[in-house]
Amino acid sequence: MSTIEKQLRASPRNLRYMLTVTIIVLILFIWSLAAINLEDMNQSGLKIASNILKGIVHPDLNLLFGISKQSVLYLLVETIAIAFLGTIVGAVLSVPLAFLAASNIVPKWLAWLTRMLLIVIRTIPALVYGLMFIRVSGPGPFAGVMTVGITSVGMLAKLYVDAIEELDIRVLESMTSIGCTTFEKVRFGILPQLMSIFLSVTIYRFDMNMREASILGLVGAGGIGAPLIFAMNSYKWNQVGAILIGLVILILLIEWMSNKIRAKLVKG
């Protein structure tokens, strides 16, 4: 018998704990099934589902490969622009908030207040922000950029704070001992440790913002979401298929590229 097998057999068997967890999960699963209503699944719903699949198999090629303002290519470029600019806005706003929320940088009362602000920002859904900005600036890409930017702050600032609080404090202590100013400590002691982590997190958030920017179009905040819902309401399934194909291909490409870049940043 190997050493690993002996350790496995010697480990305590928490059968009661596993049984309790299994029963709780089964109860929650059965209780959740009660919220599912299958009465609306009639013949027309199944027909619509089959039409969507047919639209994906037989998309509108003119819409998919065209270069007009109504084409999928133009709408995808607009969606990328909304996600990119929104990510930049969110990242710029998140950096000062993250430093204000780091308890090892600022007084604890200030860090606590800033964390409460970030929690409030994260609580409000993106669609609610979209509706609010549409009321302020009107429908269009600008409302989408501001919505993506504000929703990005909640996540980016939180992850930035985690990175800041894991800093090697010994570097700062040594810089203090030689008389460095606060700006010099931030510039030469903190930012070099955080830059790769910040970039990796920001790229990951951009990947998420691509999906959010697509959804925000449903409320009129620019991007490809609005044409998608219009095509579905008009039962133009070949257009729906063209939009979905373009959106899936774009998100897969961006996810592949972001994974490559983040892997290089982690290795670097």
Side-chain angles (χ1 to χ4, degrees):
M1 184 182 298
S2 63
T3 305
I4 297 177
E5 291 179 349
K6 291 180 179 179
Q7 290 179 353
L8 287 174
R9 295 192 176 186
S11 61
R13 299 181 181 276
N14 299 323
L15 295 178
R16 183 179 300 177
Y17 172 78
M18 295 299 298
L19 183 61
T20 303
V21 172
T22 303
I23 293 174
I24 292 174
V25 171
L26 288 175
I27 292 174
L28 291 175
F29 179 75
I30 295 172
W31 174 72
S32 300
L33 288 176
I36 299 176
N37 184 12
L38 298 177
E39 295 179 358
D40 296 332
M41 290 289 293
N42 49 29
Q43 192 67 28
S44 61
L46 295 175
K47 185 178 180 180
I48 291 174
S50 65
N51 288 333
I52 294 175
L53 293 176
K54 290 179 181 178
I56 295 175
V57 177
H58 303 287
D60 187 343
L61 297 180
N62 292 328
L63 182 66
L64 184 59
F65 298 107
I67 54 174
S68 64
K69 288 188 175 182
Q70 288 76 32
S71 66
V72 172
L73 181 61
Y74 179 87
L75 295 171
L76 290 177
V77 171
E78 183 180 74
T79 304
I80 294 174
I82 292 172
F84 180 77
L85 290 176
T87 305
I88 296 299
V89 170
V92 170
L93 294 177
S94 296
V95 172
L97 288 174
F99 279 100
L100 291 175
S103 57
N104 60 335
I105 302 294
V106 300
K108 290 187 177 181
W109 65 267
L110 181 57
W112 183 82
L113 289 177
T114 309
R115 286 172 184 266
M116 290 299 298
L117 174 62
L118 296 176
I119 290 173
V120 172
I121 292 174
R122 290 199 302 270
T123 302
I124 302 175
L127 290 178
V128 176
Y129 279 121
L131 293 172
M132 291 167 58
F133 282 113
I134 285 172
R135 295 296 181 184
V136 174
S137 63
F142 180 75
V145 171
M146 296 307 298
T147 302
V148 171
I150 294 298
T151 54
S152 298
V153 168
M155 172 187 168
L156 289 177
K158 182 180 183 301
L159 295 178
Y160 288 174
V161 170
D162 294 339
I164 293 171
E165 291 185 339
E166 293 177 359
L167 281 173
D168 187 359
I169 304 299
R170 293 173 297 179
V171 176
L172 302 181
E173 292 174 350
S174 62
M175 295 182 72
T176 303
S177 64
I178 61 175
C180 292
T181 63
T182 302
F183 175 77
E184 290 173 338
K185 286 190 287 186
V186 172
R187 171 63 182 84
F188 300 104
I190 295 178
L191 290 182
Q193 298 184 60
L194 298 177
M195 191 58 66
S196 61
I197 300 175
F198 279 13
L199 288 176
S200 178
V201 171
T202 303
I203 292 170
Y204 177 68
R205 182 64 207 188
F206 170 70
D207 188 10
M208 296 177 61
N209 284 341
M210 272 302 304
R211 297 166 177 81
E212 287 202 358
S214 304
I215 297 172
L216 289 174
L218 300 176
V219 296
I224 202 168
L228 176 60
I229 196 66
F230 290 155
M232 293 183 70
N233 290 336
S234 303
Y235 299 99
K236 298 178 180 178
W237 304 115
N238 56 343
Q239 294 184 9
V240 172
I243 294 173
L244 290 177
I245 289 173
L247 191 59
V248 169
I249 292 174
L250 177 66
I251 289 177
L252 289 176
L253 287 174
I254 289 179
E255 185 169 355
W256 176 76
M257 291 175 61
S258 65
N259 288 335
K260 289 284 187 181
I261 297 173
R262 284 190 289 116
K264 290 183 179 180
L265 288 173
V266 172
K267 291 179 181 179

